[in-house]
Amino acid sequence: MPHQEIIFAGFGGQGILSMGKFLAHAGLEENLNVSWFPSYGPEMRGGTSNCSVIVSDEPIGAPLVTDATAVVVMNRPSLDKFERYVVKGGLLIIDSDLVNREPERTDIEVIKIPAQRIAEEVGSKKIANMVLLGALVEKTKIVSMESLLKALKEHGKEQFYELNKKALERGAEFAK
Amino acid sequence: MAIVFERPKALLDVPTHYCPGCTHGVIHRLVAEVIDELGILDKTVGVAPVGCSVLAYDYFACDMYEAAHGRAPAVATGIKRAVPDSIVFTYQGDGDLAAIGTAEIVHAAARGEKITTIFVNNAIYGMTGGQMAPTTLPGQVTETSPYGRDVNVAGHPIRVSEMIATLDGAVYVERVSVDSVPNIIKAKKAIKKAFELQMQGKGFTMIEVLSICPTNWGLSPNEAIKWLRDNMIPYYPLGVKKDITAGEVK
Amino acid sequence: MAKKVLMKGNEAIGEAAIHAGCQCFFGYPITPQTEVAAYMSRRMPQVGRVFLQAESEVAAINMVYGASGAGVRVMTSSSSPGISLKSEGISYIAGAELPCVIINIVRGGPGLGGIQPAQSDYFQATKGGGHGDYRMVVYAPSSVQELVDLVQEAFDVADQYRNPVMVMGDGMLGQMMEPVEFKERQTTRNLPEKTWAANGLRGRQNHNVINSLFLKPEELEAHNRKLQAKYAEIEKNEVKYELYNFDGEVDLAIVSYGTLARICKNAIKMLEKEGIKVGLIRPITLWPYPKKAFDEVMDKVKVGFISIEMSEGQMVEDVKLSVNGRKPVFFYGRSGGMVPTPAEIAKKIKEIVGGAK
Ligand SMILES: Cc1ncc(C[n+]2csc(CCOP(=O)(O)OP(=O)(O)O)c2C)c(N)n1
Ligand code: SF4
Ligand SMILES: [Mg+2]
């Protein structure tokens, strides 16, 4: 898919930044232009964390995403903040185990995934981020699953590869 | 025992930005209780540093300044010299006070500035995400000492209280810790005494408080408390380092 | 071709410096450039070189003075408040004609300001934050790849002219990850030997002195004139800029640098769809300023020039000097860490072009 701008957001420690990194690595794997830009500084301490990822077949402008083709949120404050960033017709993916309100927008597509429960079934709540990433990639086709797995293999911790892979696949299945 | 669960008047009723378990909050509270007990809220002026406690100006109810990184003792000097009957304190971290601000603290102490410095030693640069501080222990791993602090390359930790105590302008210097209730009580006593001596116009006073940084130490608050006890206290012994009133009849 | 790797701007700076033969790095933590120091603390020992965390930026820049005077390639890195502290040292380094590379990953000011991306240190960088008649080459890369290339170039330029060189990015550039390639590069420059280095006589007859003190006015003036001649040479040889979208006439020409120039390119694409043609002058050297870029495009520009900055209006002064009254000059800026969006820029440009049409 030519040009997509994604925001991942949640609490620090949920693997928000690494979700974005894997996606960016996968984009590079496909020879696309990519950028990854994290929130930084003490705001991370307040617990929130987010990153912008752009994958494009054209040169990338600002790495900071304000008009997102997709937003993935893993907590309520992130939904509150980033719901309005989704472009009309764009995609919003919510970890429904952690976000206790319904999105307000009606002009976008919403996927609610019980990512914590699915991750737990796979082996650990810690990989809920991968469930969501799997769903994102399946739905947007932003990169191929093969590239994503390759990125995971090269840049992720080896001992978690199989687990992560399973989580990605479960997420993808859910979004089908 | 003076542990009341009411907010001291010298602290504003706002949530702080500190990490869960961080002892900066405890130390704020001790300072505020002392200000309350001494009844000096309306003439106290505080100087916040650059460090995690940079926003202390939002938390203390007295007048507050925000100083450039390390310069709080100079700013405090300006305030005290301009308004001699004010009670002036600085609140500084170890990076702020013992690295970039070494000149300012040494000379404020040497001049015997009638100010009180609360020196929060957590052996790390908290605010910027866990780099080596002057007080980082030998072997301690930080973002900028990834192989552990090698004293042959990065030098030795500074025992600031002992150093300041050698200066004639310093009248009262004590190192305390906030790792346990008895130590917290001692810490408060020390802070109170420092403010009292300032009020009596005796000279420079400093209380060094050993504090935890669970976030950048990569430990839970409980583990961090234990780490402080097992590692920091042996290197930074608690106690009075200088007291010109010692032996005086109270 | 080396493989492209995904790397954070701040870390890429460190790796680029290592590739360029940087022997010593002296730093002090400050957001949003701390990763430079963290990266160097890990990598420099691995390659048998020096990393040292100084007790302050003042100390760090003077460590640079010492190491550079001793003849080795040296770099320091900071962000705005830290650069203010380094300014004294930079003036001494310029005065003593020492080569070094200084990284500034700019955040919003003045004072403690904020930590989000800004371009409000343009004056400080290009007009001399320190005292005296000195100049410093200032590069303003707009991508992580360009950052890597310019850091390496900076070491050569510094050595060629015996002058401090600054590479200035903003928090976005320091924090973002982008694909980069570390090309095997060979300098085409003729770099003079550092016969002036004060690293011990080692059999040399005359002692070398690293110094910026000239008590006799005639001597100081002569020294200053010599510096000026060098600066003129730099202005002649080292100007770098990019012209974008100037094939044919344009309604308006944007002047913008760094990451913001990329955002401007997006705005230009948006405007193109609405039939408004806009060109972009992107200064890559902020000093020497690419005045000739303006001469080149002057006849193609219908309405005028607009300086777009993440500041309240600093580079716009150089834009005015370069345009020199030939066309109107407009300004649009956000500051304090606010990053303009392409749509916002497009709107501003429509107002200007619409008003003129
Ligand atoms: C001149 C300057 N240099 C560097 C910084 C970046 N900086 C902010 S806080 C800090 C260190 C704080 O550490 P410490 O004083 O130990 O306080 P803590 O956060 O641990 O409480 C640094 C280096 C700055 N703001 N200004
Ligand atoms: S980073 Fe460390 S010192 Fe700063 S608030 Fe968190 S725990 Fe406290
Ligand atoms: Mg500290």
Side-chain angles (χ1 to χ4, degrees), chain C residues 3-310:
Chain C
K3 191 176 154 37
K4 277 197 176 172
V5 290
L6 202 55
M7 225 173 167
K8 204 170 183 171
N10 282 337
E11 303 193 332
I13 289 169
E15 194 56 36
I18 288 170
H19 276 249
C22 175
Q23 285 297 324
C24 296
F25 176 88
F26 303 109
Y28 189 78
I30 184 167
T31 311
Q33 70 76 48
T34 300
E35 295 85 357
V36 183
Y39 188 82
M40 291 307 242
S41 72
R42 215 163 55 234
R43 283 284 286 137
M44 291 297 259
Q46 286 174 356
V47 291
R49 303 188 199 167
V50 176
F51 163 83
L52 189 59
Q53 182 178 317
E55 70 272 28
S56 70
E57 291 87 351
V58 177
I61 193 70
N62 286 290
M63 291 172 184
V64 168
Y65 183 87
S68 173
V72 309
R73 286 196 157 181
V74 51
M75 182 168 93
T76 185
S77 166
S78 192
S79 175
S80 312
I83 299 291
S84 290
L85 286 176
K86 287 186 196 293
S87 294
E88 177 197 60
I90 294 173
S91 168
Y92 280 68
I93 286 170
E97 291 195 85
L98 295 178
C100 70
V101 176
I102 300 151
I103 307 292
N104 185 3
I105 300 298
V106 182
R107 54 192 247 182
L112 199 49
I115 56 171
Q116 298 304 322
Q119 298 182 322
S120 44
D121 295 355
Y122 180 90
F123 283 153
Q124 185 193 49
T126 61
K127 316 285 174 189
H131 59 284
D133 262 326
Y134 79 88
R135 289 294 193 176
M136 166 167 72
V137 178
V138 183
Y139 287 116
S142 77
S143 68
V144 177
Q145 182 66 58
E146 197 178 28
L147 175 63
V148 161
D149 296 342
L150 288 176
V151 165
Q152 302 194 46
E153 182 83 359
F155 279 96
D156 287 351
V157 170
D159 277 351
Q160 180 173 340
Y161 298 96
R162 287 184 61 182
N163 210 70
V165 177
M166 176 177 278
V167 180
M168 187 157 98
D170 58 48
M172 255 186 294
L173 194 59
Q175 294 294 327
M176 75 191 285
M177 290 209 310
E178 268 188 329
V180 280
E181 188 191 332
F182 291 88
K183 300 163 196 141
E184 276 312 318
R185 61 188 289 286
Q186 211 90 61
T187 185
T188 50
R189 295 170 186 272
N190 197 0
L191 301 182
E193 244 191 88
K194 299 182 175 177
T195 51
W196 43 263
N199 51 356
L201 284 176
R202 297 167 202 281
R204 209 188 318 115
Q205 284 300 313
N206 299 318
H207 75 164
N208 283 339
V209 177
I210 305 298
N211 171 41
S212 62
L213 175 70
F214 298 86
L215 281 175
K216 294 199 185 106
E218 314 81 67
E219 282 180 12
L220 181 52
E221 189 183 50
H223 177 63
N224 281 332
R225 295 265 160 92
K226 185 179 134 216
L227 291 181
Q228 291 305 315
K230 177 171 86 177
Y231 300 150
E233 197 63 18
I234 296 175
E235 282 194 276
K236 203 171 81 201
N237 302 334
E238 302 299 339
V239 168
K240 269 191 196 300
Y241 58 93
E242 176 195 355
L243 294 180
Y244 174 80
N245 218 27
F246 278 108
D247 47 328
E249 284 200 323
V250 297
D251 293 305
L252 198 71
I254 294 177
V255 190
S256 188
Y257 67 92
T259 46
L260 184 56
R262 300 163 57 144
I263 300 174
C264 290
K265 284 182 183 173
N266 284 2
I268 288 171
K269 281 182 208 146
M270 290 171 89
L271 288 162
E272 198 101 55
K273 288 183 196 138
E274 302 185 35
I276 297 175
K277 176 108 198 263
V278 179
L280 169 75
I281 298 176
R282 178 170 74 89
I284 298 171
T285 47
L286 300 183
W287 191 89
Y289 198 70
K291 294 199 187 91
K292 65 180 177 206
F294 291 80
D295 302 338
E296 235 174 277
V297 303
M298 192 57 66
D299 293 338
K300 295 181 176 172
V301 177
K302 287 196 238 168
V303 177
F305 294 80
I306 179 167
S307 186
I308 300 184
E309 305 174 38
M310 291 194 288

Side-chain angles (χ1 to χ4, degrees), chain A residues 34-93:
Chain A
V34 295
S35 70
W36 171 94
F37 180 64
S39 57
Y40 62 88
E43 72 175 276
M44 290 156 69
R45 202 165 305 137
T48 64
S49 165
N50 71 74
C51 67
S52 298
V53 174
I54 303 177
V55 178
S56 180
D57 49 9
E58 287 198 35
I60 292 170
L64 187 71
V65 173
T66 45
D67 298 313
T69 53
V71 167
V72 179
V73 294
M74 289 186 78
N75 65 15
R76 167 81 189 257
S78 296
L79 178 63
D80 293 346
K81 179 164 180 197
F82 291 112
E83 182 174 356
R84 63 192 167 87
Y85 283 57
V86 186
V87 296
K88 202 167 172 237
L91 176 66
L92 175 64
I93 298 183

Side-chain angles (χ1 to χ4, degrees), chain B residues 93-95 120 122-126 133:
Chain B
D94 41 81
V120 181
N122 58 8
I124 205 144
Y125 285 34

Side-chain angles (χ1 to χ4, degrees), chain A residues 45, chain B residues 17-20 22-24 52 122 124 126-127 212-216:
Chain A
R45 202 165 305 137
Chain B
H17 68 290
Y18 296 113
C19 303
C22 178
T23 36
H24 265 303
C52 278
N122 58 8
I124 205 144
M127 175 76 154
I212 60 168
C213 177
T215 301
N216 290 303

